[in-house]
Amino acid sequence: KELKKNGFAVCDVENINLFKKLKNSFIENINLPGIDKKNITEVRRSLAIMSKAQINKAMINFLTFNKDLSEMMINSFPKIVKSLCGSDLFIQRRAHTTINVPGDDQAKQVAHYEMISGISPFAFILWAPLHDIDDEGGAYHVELEKSLNIMRKEEKQGLVSGEKVLNFMGNKKPPKIKFGQGIVFNPFVIHGNIAFNSSLARIACNVRFQSSDKPLLQKNTDYLKHYKLI
């Protein structure tokens, strides 16, 4: 009901053991010299003080980690995925891992909606952090009706992510959610993140999926692959 009304909803991980395996795989594959005990808090603390160049170098090993990430994300939320799109799916070939570093001088994700990237209007997105989010370092989402109204006005004005969309970066507050929770949303919902103050970086994974019976848009089989959810 919440997803249908707002276009997004907080949801629980259904296969927590698999999701813990996903998190541990990330910890094992991140290249952070000098950390003796590789737990997620130590990884976050180390990333928070690194430069962008250092983070990019550390993420080289993600080529191995990302290999099965899409499948692991989908299978962490199997009932939700099936209820929305069935078992015969198109899923993102390589799910994304995002690292957001605290500080006002750090890059923020500009408010946007997935449709502008060429994703199908029949797709959904699953986003889940690899740790508790107990500060302002999460992601915010704008209610569906408000998002659609802004999109319609922008279309008339010939704009994409104009002033009204960008203004959300200053006045939206991300929800505080726990490890073992995620957010599922549709491609029409405006979302993004803001600068935040913390001694820890934010790490999250996200994946796009849709029913294989539904048409694709610009993001086609170069970006998506067929997958049967058992």
Side-chain angles (χ1 to χ4, degrees):
K1 292 181 178 179
E2 185 180 351
L3 177 61
K4 185 175 181 181
K5 177 183 178 183
N6 295 327
F8 65 94
V10 175
C11 53
D12 292 328
V13 171
E14 297 156 359
N15 188 339
I16 192 64
N17 289 332
L18 179 61
F19 196 67
K20 287 179 179 178
K21 182 179 178 180
L22 186 157
K23 180 189 73 172
N24 291 335
S25 178
F26 170 86
I27 294 172
E28 291 169 4
N29 283 283
I30 185 82
N31 182 20
L32 294 177
I35 294 182
D36 295 329
K37 186 179 180 181
K38 282 194 172 183
N39 60 57
I40 196 68
T41 301
E42 291 301 314
V43 170
R44 295 176 67 199
R45 184 175 288 112
S46 180
L47 289 170
I49 59 175
M50 291 171 64
S51 68
K52 294 176 185 177
Q54 289 173 319
I55 291 176
N56 288 338
K57 184 177 180 180
M59 290 179 69
I60 291 176
N61 285 348
F62 281 5
L63 292 175
T64 300
F65 168 66
N66 280 345
K67 181 180 179 182
D68 301 316
L69 181 57
S70 293
E71 290 85 346
M72 295 178 78
M73 281 289 290
I74 293 295
N75 283 283
S76 293
F77 300 86
K79 293 180 181 178
I80 292 171
V81 172
K82 285 184 180 180
S83 69
L84 293 172
C85 298
S87 300
D88 209 302
L89 307 167
F90 282 128
I91 67 171
Q92 192 173 336
R93 287 186 177 275
R94 285 188 177 271
H96 296 155
T97 301
T98 57
I99 297 175
N100 291 90
V101 178
D104 291 333
D105 59 334
Q106 298 297 325
K108 298 170 283 292
Q109 186 182 40
V110 175
H112 65 287
Y113 42 91
E114 296 291 316
M115 284 292 294
I116 65 175
S117 69
I119 202 74
S120 164
F122 302 102
F124 291 89
I125 302 90
L126 273 170
W127 178 93
L130 301 189
H131 49 79
D132 292 348
I133 294 183
D134 47 15
D135 50 33
E136 303 301 326
Y140 65 80
H141 298 74
V142 179
E143 292 77 8
L144 180 60
E145 184 176 357
K146 184 179 291 187
S147 293
L148 291 174
N149 286 337
I150 292 174
M151 288 169 62
R152 293 187 187 104
K153 291 178 181 179
E154 285 198 338
E155 184 179 9
K156 291 180 180 179
Q157 298 171 345
L159 298 173
V160 176
S161 293
E163 183 178 357
K164 289 187 177 181
V165 174
L166 297 179
N167 283 342
F168 283 120
M169 295 177 68
N171 58 26
K172 291 294 290 185
K173 298 297 182 184
K176 296 179 180 180
I177 63 178
K178 298 292 185 181
F179 174 77
Q181 292 181 305
I183 298 177
V184 59
F185 58 100
N186 71 37
F188 301 97
V189 168
I190 295 171
H191 59 284
N193 68 270
I194 58 177
F196 62 100
N197 294 314
S198 174
S199 61
L200 304 173
R202 188 197 82 188
I203 307 167
C205 296
N206 61 80
V207 66
R208 287 140 190 84
F209 64 96
Q210 71 169 74
S211 169
S212 63
D213 292 335
K214 300 296 184 180
L216 304 176
L217 200 59
Q218 290 172 319
K219 291 286 179 68
N220 51 38
T221 51
D222 289 335
Y223 183 81
L224 302 163
K225 63 182 178 181
H226 181 256
Y227 184 71
K228 184 77 172 181
L229 180 59
I230 300 175

